[in-house]
Amino acid sequence: MWNFTKSDKHFFTPDQRAQCEALFEAILPGSETNPGARDAGAVEYIDSLLTMTHETYFDIPNLQKLYPAGLAAIDAAANAQFGRSVTQVAIEQVASLLQQMKDGKLAGSMPTADQMKFFTNVRAQCLEGCFGDPRWGGNKNGVMWRWYGWIVQAEPFQRTTLAPQKLPIKRRAAAKKPAARKSRRPRV
């Protein structure tokens, strides 16, 4: 079995991280009674993934180029259309920018095919970060699993109570080593 070791490194700058978080929250918004991408810490998943190499996932080098370009393009479009950064506009405006990007019609310098590729990746990695195994950095404390009732009984979500808890999953006990056999050879 492959043991995943999460790095303490970050790929995103603080601004890029905030931009990505705004996009993720527009894709899967939360409320007081249902967790969203921010509650799940989904951006931590992609931020960690992008610090890895192609040995972890073959497309990481391409994603390492695509994310900074895509985040810059959508932030520039937010500034052009709304006069503010993507991190400062309403969630509906972020959703509008994402729709334009999905259609390849976001004004700016990013080619149409790259816009569509970026949108597809952002959407997929948001969902992976929300619903994937918490060991990968997202789905913090299994918040989505607990809310949906996967692995454990479904729990109602309250932002103030559910997010900090941990999943009540029993870890497999480490395999016990067999006791050393005593030699039955007579001593000489």
Side-chain angles (χ1 to χ4, degrees), residues 27-50:
I27 293 168
L28 193 66
S31 72
E32 291 303 313
T33 58
N34 69 283
R38 278 194 178 116
D39 300 300
V43 77
E44 185 62 32
Y45 161 75
I46 188 61
D47 194 20
S48 293
L49 184 68
L50 292 174

Side-chain angles (χ1 to χ4, degrees), residues 113-184:
D114 288 346
Q115 288 183 38
M116 295 163 67
K117 182 177 181 181
F118 180 71
F119 171 81
T120 300
N121 278 282
V122 165
R123 183 180 179 278
Q125 279 124 20
C126 174
L127 296 175
E128 290 167 5
C130 286
F131 297 100
D133 191 319
R135 293 179 298 169
W136 282 88
N139 193 12
K140 184 171 61 180
N141 299 324
V143 67
M144 289 296 195
W145 292 355
R146 292 190 347 263
W147 185 63
Y148 275 107
W150 192 73
I151 297 181
V152 296
Q153 182 71 28
E155 300 174 22
F157 177 80
Q158 287 296 314
R159 268 210 174 106
T160 57
T161 60
L162 188 59
Q165 298 174 6
K166 296 202 181 273
L167 275 172
I169 299 174
K170 294 179 182 175
R171 302 272 183 216
R172 277 201 296 172
K176 292 183 179 180
K177 293 182 180 179
R181 289 184 20 177
K182 294 182 179 178
S183 175
R184 295 183 187 225

Side-chain angles (χ1 to χ4, degrees), residues 16 18 69-70:
Q16 290 171 330

Side-chain angles (χ1 to χ4, degrees), residues 55-129:
E55 285 125 3
T56 303
Y57 179 61
F58 77 95
D59 204 29
I60 287 177
N62 294 324
L63 295 174
Q64 290 169 335
K65 295 173 188 165
L66 185 64
Y67 263 87
L71 292 171
I74 206 159
D75 196 53
N79 277 302
Q81 292 181 34
F82 308 114
R84 298 189 326 209
S85 169
V86 73
T87 62
Q88 299 169 326
V89 298
I91 198 167
E92 295 82 14
Q93 293 169 318
V94 178
S96 170
L97 293 167
L98 284 167
Q99 182 63 51
Q100 292 169 44
M101 188 167 260
K102 176 186 172 204
D103 297 336
K105 297 179 180 176
L106 188 70
S109 61
M110 191 172 204
T112 299
D114 288 346
Q115 288 183 38
M116 295 163 67
K117 182 177 181 181
F118 180 71
F119 171 81
T120 300
N121 278 282
V122 165
R123 183 180 179 278
Q125 279 124 20
C126 174
L127 296 175
E128 290 167 5

